[in-house]
Amino acid sequence: MELKSFSSSEVAVLARSSSDSQNAFSFRHKLGVRFSNSRRGLIVGTYGGPENHDVANKAITSLAGGANNVAAETSFHSSSGLNGSTWSLFTRNLRVLEAFDDEYGGVVIDPDRLPTNPAVFARALHSSLSHWKKMGKKGIWLKLPIEKSDLVPVSVKEGFQYHHAEPGYVMLTYWIPEGPCMLPANASHLVGVGGFVINENNEVLVVQEKHCSPEIHGLWKIPTGFILEAEEIYTGAIREVKEETGIDTEFIEVIAFRHAHNVAFDKSDLFFICMLRALSSKIDVDDHEIEAAKWMPLVDFVKQPLIQEDSMFKKIIDIFVARLGKRYCGLSTHQVVSKFDGRVSSLYYNVIDNNDEDFNCVGD
C-alpha cells in the first residue's frame, strides 16, 4: 500500500495496549492496523505492546517507503497507567516535492509543480531535503519562475544558494554531502564578435558608436557585439554587421580571438574577430546604437592614431592585412557530429590547399 495515493498530508499512527493483553493475543492481534477517515485525511491506527516498537516501525516504513512524494517522520511516546504501560507510535508523512534524478546523483525539482503558498512550500522543502539526505542524494537544483519569486526567501533560509538568473527565473542550488560543492558553476564567459568586412575597393566597413568610453570617442572601428544564446560565432558576426550597418555579408574565417578577464559583470570575455566578405554596399545605420557608418580605405583605417597607439588593435590589423596578402590563414568552420552526444557542432580550424601552387586557405 502506498501513501502517495492518499490526499492527506499527515498520517497519524496510534498504537495502544495494556500489559495484560500482551500475553493473551497472538502476534497478529498484538500488532493490528486500522484505517479510518478524518477531516485531516487518513488515520492509520496500530495497536500492540512496547516490545513491538520495531515491528510497528517496520510496518509503517513499508507503507511509506514506496512513495516517491512522501517522507515519513516517526516518534514514540510511552506512559504508565493503572492497567499497565501504554505506548503510542506517531508517524507523520510530509509531502516531498515533485522531482526527478539527474545523472550525477542529484535531484532536479519540478518547477511546474511547486506549491504556491510559501508556508506549504517551506514545510515541503524541509521534509524533501531530509528525505533526499536519507536517500544519499548530492546536488539539488531548484528553478523558481518569476511568478513564484516569493519562494526565494524561503529557499535561501533553508540553505539554498543563488546559482544564476535569467529574465524568467532564478536558479538555486543545495549541496548535501560534506566537503566542497561539486556542482558546476555558473557560466564564466561572455562571447563577443567583431566583423572585419572588406569590399572589392579595398575599403573596410567601419562605425562610430553613440555610446562609448571617452578613450575611444571618435574612433572608426569594426562592427562588434555579443552573440546570442544558441547562436554560432560566424552567424553572430554576420547578424551584428547587418543590424548595425544594413550590410549583407558572408563568413570567411575567424582570423584571431582575444581572451580577457574581469570584463562585463566581472566575467571573462572571449572576443572573436571574423573576416567577412561584403555582399551588398548600401549602408543603413542603426540609429539606436550607431552614430555613423561608412566604407573607409584600409590605409586610412590603419593610420588612425588610436589604432597605431594600441598594441592589440595594431596586431589585429597586421593579421588582417597578412590574411589579405595570403600570408596567413584563419580558422574556417566545419560541421561535425560527435558520437559522444550525437549533436552537430561547429569545429573551427584552418586547412591549406597544398595542391595549389599559390598559398591558398580553404576559407577562400
Side-chain angles (χ1 to χ4, degrees):
M1 182 178 298
E2 295 185 353
L3 289 180
K4 65 180 180 181
S5 62
F6 303 149
S7 60
S8 61
S9 62
E10 294 185 347
V11 176
V13 180
L14 307 176
R16 194 168 279 155
S17 74
S18 68
S19 58
D20 294 337
S21 64
Q22 294 169 11
N23 296 323
F25 296 99
S26 65
F27 168 78
R28 66 185 176 87
H29 290 103
K30 287 182 180 179
L31 183 60
V33 179
R34 230 181 6 251
F35 298 91
S36 61
N37 290 320
S38 75
R39 294 196 317 178
R40 297 188 56 167
L42 182 68
I43 300 298
V44 182
T46 68
Y47 45 93
E51 72 279 7
N52 294 315
H53 284 190
D54 290 338
V55 178
N57 188 39
K58 291 178 182 178
I60 299 306
T61 301
S62 68
L63 287 173
N68 294 326
N69 61 339
V70 176
E73 295 180 355
T74 305
S75 61
F76 290 98
H77 170 73
S78 62
S79 62
S80 298
L82 295 176
N83 295 324
S85 63
T86 63
W87 58 272
S88 299
L89 169 65
F90 295 94
T91 296
R92 183 175 63 169
N93 291 296
L94 301 176
R95 175 184 175 185
V96 173
L97 295 171
E98 297 288 345
F100 58 89
D101 296 339
D102 64 23
E103 56 185 313
Y104 304 103
V107 173
V108 180
I109 300 173
D110 188 346
D112 297 325
R113 305 185 69 178
L114 293 171
T116 56
N117 184 289
V120 174
F121 173 73
R123 291 192 296 270
L125 185 62
H126 183 80
S127 62
S128 298
L129 288 175
S130 299
H131 175 68
W132 292 325
K133 288 176 183 178
K134 293 176 183 178
M135 297 290 291
K137 298 301 180 181
K138 297 178 181 179
I140 312 299
W141 296 88
L142 174 59
K143 179 180 179 180
L144 293 178
I146 193 169
E147 61 269 17
K148 296 181 180 178
S149 58
D150 53 345
L151 303 182
V152 172
V154 178
S155 306
V156 173
K157 185 177 181 180
E158 194 62 50
F160 277 79
Q161 295 183 336
Y162 292 119
H163 187 269
H164 68 273
E166 294 290 343
Y169 71 88
V170 60
M171 181 70 77
L172 298 98
T173 60
Y174 187 101
W175 182 250
I176 292 178
E178 295 183 1
C181 176
M182 300 302 292
L183 292 175
N186 183 26
S188 60
H189 284 67
L190 298 170
V191 182
V193 288
F196 232 126
V197 186
I198 193 163
N199 62 14
E200 66 276 4
N201 298 321
N202 216 29
E203 295 174 321
V204 180
L205 180 63
V206 293
V207 299
Q208 285 184 338
E209 294 183 341
K210 279 189 174 182
H211 312 286
C212 61
S213 62
E215 293 81 6
I216 63 171
H217 181 73
L219 173 69
W220 289 99
K221 58 183 283 294
I222 62 174
T224 60
F226 289 106
I227 66 170
L228 304 177
E229 185 176 351
E231 184 178 42
E232 296 285 352
I233 293 170
Y234 67 93
T235 54
I238 292 173
R239 175 187 53 77
E240 282 292 343
V241 170
K242 177 68 173 179
E243 288 178 355
E244 294 188 0
T245 68
I247 298 297
D248 295 313
T249 60
E250 65 177 352
F251 173 78
I252 300 176
E253 292 172 348
V254 172
I255 60 172
F257 69 90
R258 181 209 67 179
H259 193 197
H261 305 286
N262 298 317
V263 188
F265 311 109
D266 296 325
K267 299 291 185 180
S268 296
D269 181 270
L270 285 168
F271 181 71
F272 292 85
I273 300 97
C274 300
M275 184 174 180
L276 306 175
R277 181 182 291 111
L279 299 178
S280 62
S281 58
K282 185 179 180 181
I283 294 175
D284 184 12
V285 174
D286 177 11
D287 294 331
H288 295 94
E289 297 183 40
I290 304 302
E291 184 67 33
K294 68 178 182 179
W295 291 103
M296 188 177 196
L298 179 59
V299 291
D300 294 340
F301 177 68
V302 174
K303 288 180 181 179
Q304 292 184 96
L306 286 175
I307 297 293
Q308 292 297 318
E309 295 168 4
D310 189 283
S311 58
M312 186 181 69
F313 278 149
K314 192 172 185 302
K315 187 62 179 177
I316 292 173
I317 297 299
D318 290 342
I319 293 172
F320 181 67
V321 172
R323 178 63 184 85
L324 290 175
K326 296 187 176 182
R327 291 177 283 109
Y328 174 89
C329 271
L331 307 177
S332 55
T333 181
H334 306 265
Q335 303 299 305
V336 296
V337 179
S338 172
K339 288 187 177 180
F340 287 104
D341 56 14
R343 297 181 180 180
V344 177
S345 300
S346 294
L347 186 63
Y348 292 79
Y349 58 90
N350 64 17
V351 177
I352 298 174
D353 187 359
N354 294 322
N355 296 322
D356 198 309
E357 294 181 358
D358 296 327
F359 185 87
N360 189 34
C361 300
V362 169
D364 290 338

